[in-house]
């Protein structure tokens, strides 16, 4: 009994210390948001990973852009606690958020919105040599991929899910039509921290695939902003505040206005692509994605 109590106290002290660990001791990509809540910020707009400590283990939000990131995240976790990664929540099924799952599972249980597994299997089957190509990019990547296994979610929820781990509650919300086939926002209501997925990103033109609807993106932004979060962690880009949503709302409102005006003049989509300009946002990254934004705006103003 005394041994069991001693172990319990040791784990509690370890957790308590983790909440106050200086972020600079964990590597340059780690940012501390609140006690026990960190973000591994991807370099050059690569995907972010949330790291949340509880008294019953660690919860990750995504697993890093690449396995090299996943390995660095695991090392940071080990510096803070002896407890395992209990859960890993996917904000989307794309490889830049999910390839590193094998680093954490087992023991982590992976959770995603309905359709995530099907999306992952379809993409993996369509590019069977993806991992070999990734391994060839550098010796570091090849080493990080050692033991790679393709892992899909263990649990897929519908619309909403509440996950209680230790003293923390994670509210999962399906986001329709914002980025992928299966997007999830993760809300910690007590701490007021929101992991908002990749439907809205920071200082970057997003890739608006045919499944994406700008009205759905704006509706999701409105819903998430109404939560009044203190911290907003996008799928890509530097964490911030609700200004992240406001900046995107302004961008899409202006884009819809300009595309709509040209469409009402009878211009075709090809003509609009050639004519519409957004000089106010020329400093945003990934300008090559802008044509997909014009297409999405055209669908919206035409009611498609």
């Amino acid at each position: 009994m005394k041994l069991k109590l001693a172990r319990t106290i040791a784990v509690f002290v370890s957790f308590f210390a983790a909440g106050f660990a200086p972020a600079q001791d964990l590597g340059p990509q780690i940012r501390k948001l609140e006690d026990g809540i960190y973000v591994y910020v991807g370099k050059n707009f690569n995907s972010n990973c949330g790291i949340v400590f509880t008294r019953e283990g660690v919860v990750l939000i995504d697993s890093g852009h690449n396995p090299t990131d996943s390995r660095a995240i695991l090392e940071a976790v080990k510096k803070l606690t002896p407890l395992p990664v209990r859960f890993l929540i996917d904000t989307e099924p794309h490889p830049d958020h999910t390839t590193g799952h094998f680093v954490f599972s087992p023991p982590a249980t992976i959770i995603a919105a309905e359709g995530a597994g099907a999306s992952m299997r379809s993409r993996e089957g369509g590019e069977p040599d993806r991992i070999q190509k990734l391994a060839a990019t550098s010796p570091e990547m090849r080493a990080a991929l050692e033991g790679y296994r393709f892992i899909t979610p263990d649990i897929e929820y519908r619309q909403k899910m509440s996950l209680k781990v230790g003293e923390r509650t994670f509210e999962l919300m399906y986001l329709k039509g914002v980025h992928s086939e299966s997007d999830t926002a993760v809300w910690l209501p007590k701490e007021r921290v929101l992991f908002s997925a990749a439907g809205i990103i920071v200082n970057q033109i997003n890739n608006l695939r045919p499944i994406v609807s700008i009205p759905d993106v704006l509706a999701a932004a409105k819903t998430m902003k109404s939560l009044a979060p203190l911290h907003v962690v996008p799928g890509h880009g530097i964490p911030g505040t609700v200004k992240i949503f406001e900046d995107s709302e302004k961008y899409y409102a202006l884009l819809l206005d300009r595309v709509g005006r040209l469409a009402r003049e009878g211009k075709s989509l090809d003509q609009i692509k050639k004519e519409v300009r957004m000089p106010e946002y020329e400093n945003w990254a990934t300008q090559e994605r802008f044509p997909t934004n014009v297409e999405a705006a055209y669908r919206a103003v035409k009611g498609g």
Side-chain angles (χ1 to χ4, degrees), residues 74-236:
L74 182 58
E75 287 307 307
V77 168
K78 287 179 176 179
K79 289 179 181 179
L80 291 169
T81 180
L83 296 176
V85 176
R86 290 276 312 282
F87 295 96
L88 197 167
I89 303 169
D90 287 339
T91 65
E92 63 168 270
H94 293 166
D96 58 331
H97 296 250
T98 61
T99 299
H101 282 8
F102 74 100
V103 174
F104 305 101
S105 179
T109 297
I110 300 172
I111 303 172
E114 186 178 31
S119 172
M120 291 173 67
R121 285 187 288 271
S122 175
R123 186 179 289 261
E124 197 79 358
E127 193 178 356
D129 60 346
R130 182 179 71 86
I131 295 303
Q132 288 81 358
K133 288 180 178 178
L134 184 60
T137 58
S138 72
E140 293 78 14
M141 190 67 71
R142 182 176 296 279
L145 278 163
E146 185 176 350
Y148 171 79
R149 291 171 294 113
F150 174 64
I151 297 179
T152 55
D154 301 296
I155 298 170
E156 294 192 6
Y157 72 94
R158 288 188 176 184
Q159 298 302 320
K160 291 183 179 181
M161 176 179 175
S162 183
L163 176 68
K164 179 79 172 177
V165 187
E167 72 285 15
R168 301 197 195 270
T169 298
F170 301 79
E171 295 182 0
L172 283 59
M173 300 171 283
Y174 168 65
L175 304 177
K176 173 182 174 290
V178 302
H179 182 69
S180 73
E181 303 86 350
S182 175
D183 293 292
T184 291
V186 182
W187 170 235
L188 280 71
K190 180 182 176 182
E191 299 82 358
R192 310 205 69 76
V193 176
L194 176 67
F195 295 86
S196 60
I200 291 178
I201 51 182
V202 179
N203 297 330
Q204 186 181 16
I205 303 293
N206 215 338
N207 183 12
L208 303 190
R209 299 170 178 84
I211 61 173
V212 174
S213 159
I214 291 178
D216 284 342
V217 171
L218 292 173
K222 182 178 180 181
T223 297
M224 290 189 285
K225 190 165 67 170
S226 72
L227 297 171
L230 296 177
H231 302 281
V232 177
V233 183
H236 299 258

Side-chain angles (χ1 to χ4, degrees), residues 249-267:
E249 287 168 340
K250 290 176 183 176
Y251 166 78
Y252 286 122
L254 190 57
L255 177 65
L256 288 169
D257 177 68
R258 290 179 181 171
V259 171
R261 191 182 322 126
L262 293 172
R264 287 190 295 273
E265 292 174 3
K267 301 288 180 66

Side-chain angles (χ1 to χ4, degrees), residues 266-294:
K267 301 288 180 66
S268 69
L269 175 57
D270 286 340
Q271 289 173 314
I272 294 173
K273 281 184 176 181
K274 292 176 182 177
E275 294 184 27
V276 71
R277 295 289 181 271
M278 299 283 280
E280 301 88 345
Y281 300 94
E282 63 184 8
N283 63 323
W284 280 16
T286 55
Q287 291 288 323
E288 69 276 5
R289 296 173 173 175
F290 184 63
T292 70
N293 286 222
V294 178

